[in-house]
Amino acid sequence: MAVTATVSTTTPRSFIWLEKIANNFLLRRLVKAFFTIWIVTTLTFFIVRAMPGNAVDILIQDLTAAGMSADDARNQAASLLSINLNQPAHEQYLEYLANMVRGDFGKSYKSRGLKVADMIAAVLPWTLFSVGLSLLITFLLGVGLGALMAYKRDTWIDHLLSNLAATLDAVSPYLIGLLAILTLSVTWKIVPIQETRGALSPGIQPEFSLEFFADVFMHVKMLLLVYVLSSVGSWMLRMKSNTVSVLGEDYVTVAKARGLPDTRILTAYVGRNATLPLFTLLAISIGYVVGGSILLERLFTYRGVGFLLGDAIASRDYPVMQGVFLIMTVAVVFANLLADYLYGWLDPRIRISGGGQ
Amino acid sequence: MQPTLSVQNLSIEYQARRGRVQAIRNVSFEVHRGEALALIGESGSGKTTLGLGIVQLLPSTAKITQGKALYRRDTLTLDALTLQGKALREFRWKECAMVFQSALNALNPVLRIADQFGDTAKAHGYLQGRALQERAEQLLRMVRLDPERVWKSFPHELSGGMRQRVLIALGLLLEPQLLILDEPTTALDILTQRNIMDVLKELRAKLDFALIFISHDLSLAAELADRVATVYAGKIVEIADVATTFQDPHHPYTIGLINAVPTLRGAKEDLTSIPGSPPDLIELPPGCKFHPRCPLADYRCREQEPELEPIKPGHAVACWQWRSARAAMEKFRS
């Protein structure tokens, strides 16, 4: 940045440290990240309120549907939900921001008295675990199979895997979930779907024991399977196309001419260069690990963040929705930041230097 | 003395959608220790295929249909075309190093130069660590690079000319008996090209390997080579020592190539290009493959293909008209 350099010569000495701070790469990225989070938070705040109906309406609807008279339902709802929805939106917004800065995400409308932060903290580990593990499996499987497809391209194994990957990539995860239940649980009766509901069986305590881990796995396996099946296709296809293009690079031919062993060429020459771009995607995907899928977690009654969000949307529980969207935003934004740093670290051509060089 | 490499009756074909591409047709030549042979010809004449064939790096659509490439070192003799597995891996680079034309992308972008040397050394059980670095630094200095600057660098931190010289240094690491240079200066600017040529000349004077220099640039061949083989449509049409090739060529194609090179003192009018373009290697013309572009072609040239025949010791030509070619070509120029 030649411009900065010329400016700094004319800047008074006392301001040089200020300029250094302003030019700090990490600091600039952090400021940008927080700005992004604020924008998303604001949009979320107003968009959830723009949804038809509100928490009170929905509860009244539910109560009358259960057989209560309209007046009773209204009174009951008012006493259950001690919230003032008539307060002007901008006042609510400022109050929300002020609380958020103090780390207070508010309390749930529906589950009265429960703090949003606690509610999320209770379900977050299950989602982190299930989505995180499936991401890891998907990545390793996708990279391995993708490389295999590239090495064996135009053989039956490549045609088989390519078509499989394209199909899996095209079918909606929810449909794969339904098909998994239909085949594994209903037709073939391999997986008893009743028992796998929830994240843990009643009576099992989180502890470091085989029994605990076996139970955790028993409950998560169907969800894991569907997550992996629904996302492995795109990783496979990406890895295949990366590998095919790296295999055509001159440095691979030269490596062969240099008499390097095939294993060394596969790992350090083809593998490393082909997976490099995937690491950015992996880092970005890590951002979605806190989200979980609303549809899939409901389908398998797995009480994670997606399940909580689905419930909150259905009952217009604004604070819970805002809380979930906030942590998802934070995770995605910081995962992107991580991706930038990771790529710079892995690929020597894009090393990020401090300052504005 | 036995030649380091003798290629005998080599033919290579590519399988294309339209048919078989006859890239190399019945080619034979020899290179001795300390000698440099230049293969010159237009793009698409099969020069690169020949180089790739010797180290078995042809694409999977290519097939060697006949021939041998006998490589000799001391008492060892082996056919480079039939090597497989470990033997092939050891032959590559340790016996025969090939420097490719695309220097810019010939080095793995994510490995430091030090690691690229390390990889090569390790693959062949060569020196490691400090000893390797000393040897590599010596070679880098030989190709006029500053080892301090280069050793810890990534390829993208070096210029095209520097990368090409790194590759040449890397090629010499295992002291191969045979070095194939495939258009080593093509993608480089004229000053860098000069620099590389000077490096190569120096190396030839210092070291004692057999060199195959593939180029379309006659002036570079004249500078570096001891013998020149002119390749046309996958076949050697003339082979002679460098002085004969430039002063007394007998194949109309060689004569045409030389007349197409501008000289510093010659008048612009003296330049003549060869009319037409190289033949389609799938449907080759009958008879001499050069006859459609040759001003001297007669009925015989159109029907019967001439074979390479010696006309003097060390000078062979594949042309029916070789006796009259020089004089006749002079006439056609004016």
Side-chain angles (χ1 to χ4, degrees):
Chain A
M1 281 208 180
V3 182
T4 340
T6 49
V7 170
S8 65
T9 52
T10 55
T11 316
R13 211 152 231 257
S14 51
F15 288 112
I16 286 174
W17 63 273
L18 262 178
E19 195 181 289
K20 267 189 183 154
I21 291 179
N23 281 340
N24 184 291
F25 182 78
L26 178 64
L27 198 75
R28 279 204 315 229
R29 291 300 311 260
L30 279 177
V31 170
K32 228 173 170 179
F34 279 108
F35 187 70
T36 312
I37 292 169
W38 172 66
I39 298 270
V40 175
T41 312
T42 307
L43 285 176
T44 311
F45 183 89
F46 291 104
I47 288 171
V48 296
R49 279 164 179 73
M51 288 168 72
N54 60 39
V56 182
D57 292 344
I58 300 279
L59 187 58
I60 292 170
Q61 235 174 58
D62 288 352
L63 291 175
T64 46
M68 206 178 268
S69 75
D71 284 340
D72 286 352
R74 206 165 292 133
N75 292 333
Q76 177 95 21
S79 67
L80 273 176
L81 306 172
S82 54
I83 46 169
N84 183 8
L85 289 169
N86 297 326
Q87 193 183 5
H90 68 273
E91 278 180 28
Q92 288 183 46
Y93 172 67
L94 290 177
E95 200 179 304
Y96 170 65
L97 274 192
N99 285 337
M100 203 178 78
V101 171
R102 287 198 299 268
D104 178 5
F105 296 157
K107 288 177 179 159
S108 164
Y109 288 169
K110 194 190 173 202
S111 317
R112 216 147 49 110
L114 273 183
K115 279 187 180 164
V116 172
D118 293 340
M119 289 171 78
I120 294 175
V123 293
L124 188 59
W126 298 112
T127 293
L128 283 180
F129 166 68
S130 59
V131 186
L133 185 61
S134 70
L135 182 63
L136 190 71
I137 296 173
T138 309
F139 180 76
L140 295 177
L141 208 61
V143 164
L145 291 176
L148 180 74
M149 280 149 72
Y151 264 87
K152 302 263 175 197
R153 70 180 168 287
D154 291 330
T155 62
W156 65 271
I157 199 161
D158 168 37
H159 293 306
L160 181 79
L161 288 175
S162 292
N163 282 310
L164 185 73
T167 311
L168 286 175
D169 194 33
V171 177
S172 117
Y174 190 68
L175 215 58
I176 295 179
L178 282 177
L179 281 174
I181 292 180
L182 211 61
T183 51
L184 296 178
S185 305
V186 180
T187 312
W188 299 331
K189 298 190 170 54
I190 302 168
V191 179
I193 197 69
Q194 296 296 333
E195 284 170 36
T196 64
R197 285 163 160 265
L200 268 184
S201 300
I204 300 279
Q205 291 301 316
E207 57 188 2
F208 200 82
S209 71
L210 196 64
E211 190 193 16
F212 170 69
F213 287 114
D215 192 63
V216 165
F217 179 73
M218 198 270 281
H219 285 276
V220 85
K221 65 188 170 192
M222 284 292 273
L223 185 63
L224 217 54
L225 178 75
V226 177
Y227 273 143
V228 170
L229 283 181
S230 60
S231 51
V232 77
S234 69
W235 288 103
M236 280 163 73
L237 293 176
R238 266 198 202 103
M239 181 65 187
K240 181 195 167 182
S241 95
N242 287 354
T243 311
V244 166
S245 74
V246 171
L247 280 174
E249 293 284 356
D250 293 321
Y251 56 80
V252 175
T253 314
V254 175
K256 282 183 201 153
R258 279 158 61 197
L260 300 192
D262 290 341
T263 46
R264 177 72 185 159
I265 295 176
L266 174 67
T267 52
Y269 287 70
V270 179
R272 186 161 169 201
N273 284 292
T275 40
L276 258 180
L278 294 183
F279 273 99
T280 323
L281 282 173
L282 181 68
I284 292 169
S285 304
I286 290 172
Y288 294 97
V289 162
V290 301
S293 160
I294 298 180
L295 292 175
L296 291 182
E297 288 193 356
R298 287 187 83 81
L299 185 66
F300 294 105
T301 337
Y302 192 82
R303 291 186 192 278
V305 176
F307 195 92
L308 179 70
L309 180 63
D311 257 5
I313 292 172
S315 57
R316 303 292 187 274
D317 199 340
Y318 301 150
V320 175
M321 285 158 78
Q322 284 163 189
V324 172
F325 285 131
L326 178 69
I327 59 156
M328 283 162 84
T329 311
V330 171
V332 171
V333 166
F334 279 93
N336 273 289
L337 199 63
L338 175 76
D340 283 358
Y341 270 90
L342 194 68
Y343 200 74
W345 177 64
L346 287 171
D347 190 338
R349 284 165 293 188
I350 317 184
R351 290 270 149 92
I352 295 168
S353 49
Q357 283 159 21
Chain B
M1 195 178 68
Q2 293 270 42
T4 302
L5 181 78
S6 58
V7 171
Q8 300 169 357
N9 307 96
L10 180 64
S11 294
I12 302 175
E13 287 178 0
Y14 288 98
Q15 197 60 52
R17 218 171 280 261
R18 279 173 49 226
R20 291 178 304 151
V21 182
Q22 301 176 50
I24 292 291
R25 297 180 304 120
N26 201 16
V27 163
S28 303
F29 63 85
E30 290 178 345
V31 207
H32 290 82
R33 187 168 171 184
E35 183 193 44
L37 171 72
L39 294 172
I40 57 170
E42 287 162 282
S43 310
S45 59
K47 299 166 295 180
T48 300
T49 301
L50 192 57
L52 288 174
I54 293 167
V55 286
Q56 292 192 43
L57 277 173
L58 292 164
S60 57
T61 50
K63 208 179 126 200
I64 296 171
T65 49
Q66 62 159 356
K68 285 182 189 162
L70 295 180
Y71 170 84
R72 290 190 190 83
R73 177 169 52 81
D74 307 327
T75 55
L76 167 100
T77 303
L78 41 87
D79 182 357
L81 303 182
T82 57
L83 293 175
Q84 279 180 336
K86 193 160 174 277
L88 174 62
R89 201 168 70 68
E90 281 171 359
F91 173 72
R92 289 174 177 167
W93 219 257
K94 194 172 175 181
E95 308 291 348
C96 170
M98 181 161 177
V99 175
F100 292 81
Q101 53 182 307
S102 45
L104 295 185
N105 201 14
L107 297 165
N108 187 348
V110 297
L111 292 183
R112 290 177 200 278
I113 302 305
D115 297 325
Q116 320 241 11
F117 273 88
D119 263 358
T120 312
K122 200 175 160 200
H124 294 279
Y126 194 68
L127 304 171
Q128 282 295 309
R130 190 66 225 160
L132 169 69
Q133 191 178 342
E134 272 165 23
R135 162 91 179 130
E137 282 176 356
Q138 187 193 338
L139 287 169
L140 289 171
R141 253 179 248 117
M142 223 189 260
V143 296
R144 300 188 192 167
L145 285 169
D146 174 13
E148 297 270 306
R149 155 96 168 81
V150 170
W151 188 243
K152 283 281 169 198
S153 295
F154 286 102
H156 71 277
E157 293 165 337
L158 307 175
S159 70
M162 290 168 89
R163 274 182 244 181
Q164 187 63 288
R165 278 177 286 161
V166 166
L167 203 63
I168 292 171
L170 190 57
L172 297 171
L173 179 68
L174 307 172
E175 297 162 59
Q177 296 296 300
L178 177 62
L179 187 62
I180 302 176
L181 299 173
D182 185 2
E183 310 246 5
T185 59
T186 298
L188 305 170
D189 63 82
I190 197 82
L191 289 176
T192 317
Q193 196 172 333
R194 179 96 307 277
N195 196 324
I196 303 257
M197 287 308 289
D198 290 345
V199 164
L200 288 174
K201 276 200 283 185
E202 260 177 48
L203 290 175
R204 278 210 58 208
K206 275 185 206 159
L207 306 170
D208 200 25
F209 47 78
L211 178 71
I212 297 177
F213 180 77
I214 298 172
S215 180
H216 61 265
D217 192 328
L218 284 170
S219 53
L220 298 183
E223 206 175 321
L224 196 67
D226 300 312
R227 279 194 306 143
V228 178
T230 312
V231 182
Y232 188 78
K235 208 171 167 71
I236 293 179
V237 293
E238 178 159 18
I239 184 164
D241 63 78
V242 70
T244 312
T245 301
F246 286 93
Q247 283 152 24
D248 190 23
H250 275 69
H251 195 284
Y253 180 62
T254 318
I255 299 169
L257 275 183
I258 292 165
N259 289 343
V261 176
T263 53
L264 213 51
R265 289 191 202 89
K268 209 161 70 182
E269 294 72 42
D270 287 349
L271 280 183
T272 16
S273 68
I274 304 171
S277 51
D280 180 0
L281 294 176
I282 294 177
E283 286 170 64
L284 284 167
C288 172
K289 306 313 166 205
F290 186 60
H291 87 254
R293 300 171 76 185
C294 182
L296 314 179
D298 62 7
Y299 73 95
R300 195 181 184 190
C301 303
R302 285 182 209 106
E303 278 162 20
Q304 231 182 323
E305 181 165 23
E307 287 304 318
L308 203 58
E309 61 172 307
I311 59 166
K312 265 186 291 180
H315 189 176
V317 182
C319 177
W320 297 123
Q321 319 280 352
W322 67 266
R323 281 172 217 280
S324 55
R326 249 177 82 74
M329 286 296 282
E330 273 310 313
K331 228 182 283 167
F332 274 99
R333 283 184 76 188
S334 48

